[in-house]
Amino acid sequence: MSDRLPLIAGNWKMNLDHLQSIAFVQKLAWTLKDARHDFSTVEVAVFPPFTDLRSVQTLIAADKLELRHGAQDLSAHDSGAYTGEVSGAFLAALDCRYVIVGHSERRTLHGETDEVVASKVAAALRFGLVPIVCVGETADDLETHGPSAVPVAQLRAALEDVAPGSALVVAYEPVWAIGSGQAATPDQAQQVAAALRAVLAERDGAWAAATRILYGGSVKAANIAGFMREPDVDGALVGGASIVVDEFASIVRYQKHVGV
Ligand code: 13P
């Protein structure tokens, strides 16, 4: 067992409006409280749309909830004439701990290159945010290059200018597993997670040992335990199942299913 604190992160994507997000966070907090969830054994973070961050921050602060929150993206720039962009400075001011960077939907739908992802990782770190750096291969990549080559290359590119020891999280999300209902096997996730950890270890062994690596792609309550048994998988980045309170709470409480 590593001493890395497991992280279950819920990426809401473009779901849940203002009122729904407040209701969701309240219900999640009650459900986890009822279940006596111990946040010191599994950290829980939600990633609402930008427009909900302020109300989620307020609710968490007012009710002294142990939930963390973060954003789904940020600008590579700090301030200025970038219409529609959101600076890491603004996210830090809303008490965001984390920010998702380089999600495959940003890479494919919004043309984010490895260079853009690297500049966003740097921007997050400038403002004391912990980037959750997403990498993952498409089905074609898998067939052509095998399981680890593309995620490893993406991670190397994203971290090229990052100082070893920087606080970050890596998320392995195979594109073919996202929203498809067809998750990777725990074995596949472990194999790639180990290769990603080796990328960090090339730079700094202690950094590699301390950094959490998540799996994402069709994670649900029924399959989380298998991933969490793997030595290099330290949590999950959950999409669809993260906006269904009981399902997400059940994922958070995976230890019940693992029997530890
Ligand atoms: P699903 O859990 O819906 O497959 O989405 C995963 C994801 O993209 C999380 O960032």
Side-chain angles (χ1 to χ4, degrees):
M1 272 269 295
S2 82
D3 53 9
R4 296 182 291 269
L5 176 64
L7 170 63
I8 303 294
N11 174 9
W12 297 2
K13 308 193 178 185
M14 201 171 70
N15 294 297
L16 304 189
D17 68 19
H18 179 68
L19 292 175
Q20 288 169 327
S21 65
I22 294 172
F24 180 93
V25 168
Q26 281 175 328
K27 189 155 181 234
L28 179 63
W30 292 331
T31 306
L32 293 176
K33 193 169 177 216
D34 274 358
R36 297 194 163 70
H37 176 67
D38 179 357
F39 288 87
S40 70
T41 62
V42 180
E43 188 179 10
V44 185
V46 293
F47 294 79
F50 288 129
T51 45
D52 297 334
L53 281 172
R54 177 66 167 159
S55 35
V56 168
Q57 175 211 20
T58 304
L59 188 59
I60 287 175
D63 292 356
K64 298 191 172 52
L65 305 179
E66 292 177 272
L67 288 172
R68 309 287 178 203
H69 62 285
Q72 299 173 17
D73 184 31
L74 84 168
S75 174
H77 307 283
D78 296 358
S79 67
Y82 301 102
T83 301
E85 296 272 286
V86 176
S87 165
F90 306 159
L91 301 178
L94 292 178
D95 296 336
C96 286
R97 169 168 295 199
Y98 297 104
V99 60
I100 297 171
V101 178
H103 191 281
S104 68
E105 287 149 20
R106 302 285 328 163
R107 292 179 190 259
T108 51
L109 304 175
H110 301 274
E112 287 192 10
T113 59
D114 282 343
E115 290 70 32
V116 171
V117 173
S119 61
K120 289 188 171 192
V121 169
L125 293 171
R126 275 201 299 283
F127 293 106
L129 300 162
V130 177
I132 298 185
V133 185
C134 298
V135 297
E137 81 289 357
T138 64
D140 279 353
D141 293 334
L142 184 62
E143 207 172 293
T144 316
H145 305 288
S148 304
V150 168
V152 159
Q154 287 175 337
L155 188 62
R156 280 215 178 94
L159 302 187
E160 203 174 300
D161 296 325
V162 168
S166 300
L168 53 85
V169 174
V170 178
Y172 168 52
E173 296 209 310
V175 181
W176 47 269
I178 295 177
S180 66
Q182 196 209 332
T185 63
D187 213 48
Q188 284 173 310
Q190 166 58 27
Q191 195 186 334
V192 179
L196 295 172
R197 199 174 299 288
V199 170
L200 301 172
E202 286 164 9
R203 307 270 302 279
D204 183 327
W207 190 32
T211 299
R212 291 174 292 179
I213 300 181
L214 313 182
Y215 167 76
S218 297
V219 169
K220 41 189 193 268
N223 63 17
I224 181 68
F227 294 111
M228 297 309 292
R229 275 194 206 99
E230 299 295 340
D232 285 298
V233 177
D234 306 310
L237 183 54
V238 185
S242 78
I243 54 168
V244 182
V245 172
D246 292 336
E247 183 76 10
F248 188 60
S250 203
I251 293 170
V252 167
R253 301 179 64 241
Y254 69 87
Q255 286 162 325
K256 286 264 171 243
H257 324 285
V258 187
V260 292

